[in-house]
Amino acid sequence: MGRLCQTDGLSEDQTEILKAVRQFVDEKIIPVATELEHADEYPQEIVDGLKELGIFGLMIPEEYDGLGESLLTYALCVEEIARGWMSVSGVINTHFIVAYLLMQHGTEEQKQKYLPRMATGEVRGAFSMSEPSLGSDVSAISTKAVKDGDDYVINGQKMWLTNGATSTLIAVLVKTDEGADSVYKNMTTFLVEKEPGFGETAPGLTIPGKIDKMGYKGVETTEAIFENHRIGADQILGGEPGKGFYQMMDGVEVGRVNVAARACGIANRAFELGIAYSQQRETFGKPIAEHQAVLFRLAEMATKVETAHTMMVRAARTKDQGERNDVEAGMAKMLASEYCNEVVEASFRIHGGYGYSKEYEIERLYRESAFMLIGEGTSDIQKMIIGRSVLKDYKLKG
């Protein structure tokens, strides 16, 4: 293990967990990742192994049969997993966001019902805000839930569900009529149960099929179509309608830490590949690592990897302290995703023509890194969040 992406102040338990995850990544993920990715094959054996490690319940409290670890521990584990194969970290991420939403906002009955089974991976979570005509503009959500007696009826179409098929529980943000002046107070999060698979997975809920993607393969990304899907009011997250937007934004903050961690993992792996190849490839009688142009490139790559990791750790620790971390998470996500793409491209350049070959791992990372720029909000969205907040903090008086 190199000197990059080390974290000070970890407990003995955290260190042991990370050691186990790193060993699993090196032995069980990296050797098969490229083959599975090229085949767009779901990594079932890897997922089963992560279940045995307790990763699905890493942050779920011990009283609900989880490990009760911090967001920092989770983020560092995600960083390691993404270093092996980013798609696998996607299997965990949306599951974790749903578990987090239940921990923070669910009723006690909802926690008892779902969290113990989420900790084992028996219940698998998916997270849904986007629609075909919207991404970051959450106010434009058109999927509606209309009250009908003691139930609600949901109609609409959702987009970009990671784990859309393999999940059995989807946290879905929809519009409801609460009579509020603000559109954001007329939104509700429902906990929608479904069967795994494609087609009609619950009455009035269809998962059409996988969306073919440039990268992020293996894990499925889907649509979800609601046609008169009836659901009880007891499936409203927290039991009270009209709070969905604020609940989801809380989940997005931790999701952005997760994406930052994934970007750090990809960047670290790209650096590892680049520095190894640069010592093996020779030109003009010496390894290319000894040429100043390549040496400088390696130095810049290492600095970017380390900077992104440091920002990600700060964002996670801020959230763990019970503070709002929208700025820290936005900064970490923006910086880590941008640096990830720069480091991957630099490693790609070091590999030369071989980097363009599917036989080399860097080709897969080149496609995967692009997703980091858009997942959980683009860099432009992060800049808006950061800019508005710092402007408020530094507003001139008088």
Side-chain angles (χ1 to χ4, degrees):
M1 184 175 65
R3 67 187 298 165
L4 299 184
C5 297
Q6 302 301 302
T7 309
D8 294 333
L10 298 182
S11 68
E12 185 176 340
D13 285 346
Q14 288 174 313
T15 301
E16 288 302 312
I17 290 171
L18 285 174
K19 181 180 178 182
V21 172
R22 187 176 297 117
Q23 181 177 351
F24 182 85
V25 168
D26 289 338
E27 295 178 359
K28 303 296 184 181
I29 298 182
I30 289 177
V32 300
T34 297
E35 180 182 354
L36 291 175
E37 198 271 348
H38 287 169
D40 199 6
E41 181 178 335
Y42 188 79
Q44 189 60 57
E45 289 188 15
I46 293 173
V47 171
D48 291 342
L50 292 175
K51 287 181 183 179
E52 292 179 12
L53 283 175
I55 298 301
F56 280 87
L58 193 62
M59 276 192 67
I60 293 174
E62 293 180 3
E63 63 184 293
Y64 302 107
D65 300 333
L67 297 180
E69 276 294 335
S70 63
L71 176 60
L72 175 62
T73 307
Y74 174 79
L76 294 175
C77 288
V78 167
E79 181 180 40
E80 287 294 337
I81 293 169
R83 185 178 70 86
W85 183 13
M86 189 274 288
S87 291
V88 178
S89 64
V91 173
I92 307 297
N93 180 37
T94 51
H95 173 86
F96 157 68
I97 292 178
V98 177
Y100 176 84
L101 290 173
L102 280 161
M103 290 186 295
Q104 296 298 114
H105 306 287
T107 64
E108 185 56 36
E109 291 76 15
Q110 290 168 346
K111 293 176 184 178
Q112 293 286 352
K113 181 179 181 181
Y114 294 118
L115 289 179
R117 291 185 294 150
M118 293 189 80
T120 63
E122 177 189 351
V123 170
R124 299 275 297 282
F127 174 82
S128 178
M129 287 197 305
S130 296
E131 297 183 1
S133 60
L134 70 95
S136 298
D137 183 12
V138 181
S139 66
I141 281 177
S142 61
T143 300
K144 292 182 179 180
V146 178
K147 193 167 178 57
D148 183 21
D150 294 331
D151 296 336
Y152 285 80
V153 177
I154 302 178
N155 281 284
Q157 185 176 1
K158 307 299 281 189
M159 192 73 174
W160 307 118
L161 279 76
T162 301
N163 299 325
T166 51
S167 61
T168 55
L169 182 68
I170 308 177
V172 183
L173 184 64
V174 302
K175 279 190 174 181
T176 53
D177 184 6
E178 308 306 324
D181 294 334
S182 169
V183 64
Y184 300 108
K185 294 181 180 180
N186 288 311
M187 294 186 182
T188 301
T189 302
F190 282 89
L191 301 170
V192 178
E193 295 185 5
K194 60 179 278 292
E195 293 296 320
F198 296 100
E200 190 171 21
T201 57
L205 171 57
T206 300
I207 305 296
K210 286 199 302 186
I211 298 170
D212 194 17
K213 309 182 296 290
M214 177 178 76
Y216 199 18
K217 294 180 178 292
V219 59
E220 81 282 359
T221 304
T222 75
E223 299 173 75
I225 300 172
F226 292 89
E227 295 176 300
N228 296 320
H229 176 76
R230 184 170 291 272
I231 188 168
D234 60 334
Q235 291 301 107
I236 294 174
L237 179 63
E240 188 177 342
K243 294 187 174 182
F245 173 79
Y246 306 99
Q247 294 165 343
M248 284 289 195
M249 290 304 102
D250 188 19
V252 165
E253 283 185 13
V254 295
R256 284 175 179 155
V257 173
N258 177 285
V259 174
R262 291 156 81 174
C264 289
I266 295 172
N268 193 16
R269 182 60 180 164
F271 173 78
E272 291 174 349
L273 294 172
I275 199 167
Y277 184 82
S278 69
Q279 295 171 79
Q280 297 162 358
R281 176 73 169 178
E282 292 190 359
T283 61
F284 304 103
K286 61 182 178 180
I288 61 173
E290 295 181 17
H291 293 289
Q292 190 179 71
V294 175
L295 189 65
F296 281 9
R297 183 165 283 157
L298 291 170
E300 292 174 356
M301 291 163 67
T303 302
K304 289 173 180 177
V305 169
E306 190 72 353
T307 302
H309 173 84
T310 302
M311 291 288 287
M312 180 270 292
V313 168
R314 181 178 180 230
R317 282 182 162 151
T318 300
K319 192 72 170 180
D320 281 333
Q321 292 166 1
E323 301 175 26
R324 185 173 179 180
N325 76 334
D326 55 337
V327 172
E328 289 80 6
M331 287 180 172
K333 195 276 171 184
M334 178 183 71
L335 190 80
S337 62
E338 296 289 349
Y339 276 1
C340 172
N341 276 265
E342 292 172 15
V343 170
V344 168
E345 182 175 349
S347 183
F348 176 83
R349 289 170 181 265
I350 288 172
H351 280 78
Y354 288 106
Y356 206 64
S357 167
K358 284 184 174 292
E359 293 181 17
Y360 280 72
E361 191 177 340
I362 191 64
E363 181 271 342
R364 169 171 60 84
L365 300 187
Y366 196 83
R367 289 182 289 105
E368 289 178 341
S369 63
F371 176 70
M372 300 296 96
L373 295 172
I374 56 176
E376 302 292 2
T378 64
S379 291
D380 291 335
I381 290 294
Q382 310 310 321
K383 290 175 184 178
M384 289 175 63
I385 294 169
I386 297 163
R388 287 170 179 170
S389 182
V390 296
L391 188 62
K392 181 179 178 182
D393 289 343
Y394 288 86
K395 188 175 181 63
L396 294 177
K397 298 179 181 179

